[in-house]
Amino acid sequence: KTCSAGGPIDESISQLRLVHKLRVEKLGKEHPDTQQTERKLQEIARIQKQFANADANGADQGRLESFPSFQDFFQAHFEVVHTAEEFQQVRKYMHEGIVADLVF
């Protein structure tokens, strides 16, 4: 499975591209905010390429999963979270895995 096309991630990327375009127009290419947005778009492109390569090669299929919503993802990977400590464990897990690359 791969990242699903047309979902919330794609909408977020489209919005980030619009933000970049507007920052270039209003702030200029050399402004730190514009440059930071450009770096994030480059990072996203790199991640998308990794997903496409993994899908084309059939590699890492166990790691690449698609879920219709964050709730579905969460329920598939975690039990119910009741405490701050459990929440911290969830955050640690997400930042150690490939999910960290998808979180802006």
Side-chain angles (χ1 to χ4, degrees), residues 7-68:
I9 292 174
D10 288 340
E11 290 175 29
S12 298
I13 293 169
S14 294
Q15 289 177 357
L16 191 60
R17 286 187 180 122
L18 176 60
V19 166
H20 180 259
K21 177 185 171 198
L22 294 172
R23 284 182 173 171
V24 168
E25 290 174 6
K26 303 294 181 184
L27 303 174
K29 281 189 154 202
E30 301 303 317
H31 192 277
D33 290 345
T34 305
Q35 291 176 348
Q36 181 182 19
T37 306
E38 188 166 338
R39 284 191 301 273
K40 184 52 72 176
L41 286 170
Q42 290 169 352
E43 181 182 339
I44 290 167
R46 179 187 55 79
I47 292 166
Q48 288 177 324
K49 186 176 179 180
Q50 287 175 346
F51 272 94
N53 288 342
D55 191 37
N57 297 332
D60 295 330
Q61 290 298 308
R63 284 184 18 192
L64 304 176
E65 300 176 79
S66 177
F67 295 92

Side-chain angles (χ1 to χ4, degrees), residues 2-3 7 11 13-14 16 26 38 52 58 69 88 90 92 96:
T2 61
C3 281
E11 290 175 29
I13 293 169
S14 294
L16 191 60
K26 303 294 181 184
E38 188 166 338
S69 71
Q88 289 297 327
V90 168
K92 181 180 178 190
E96 288 174 351

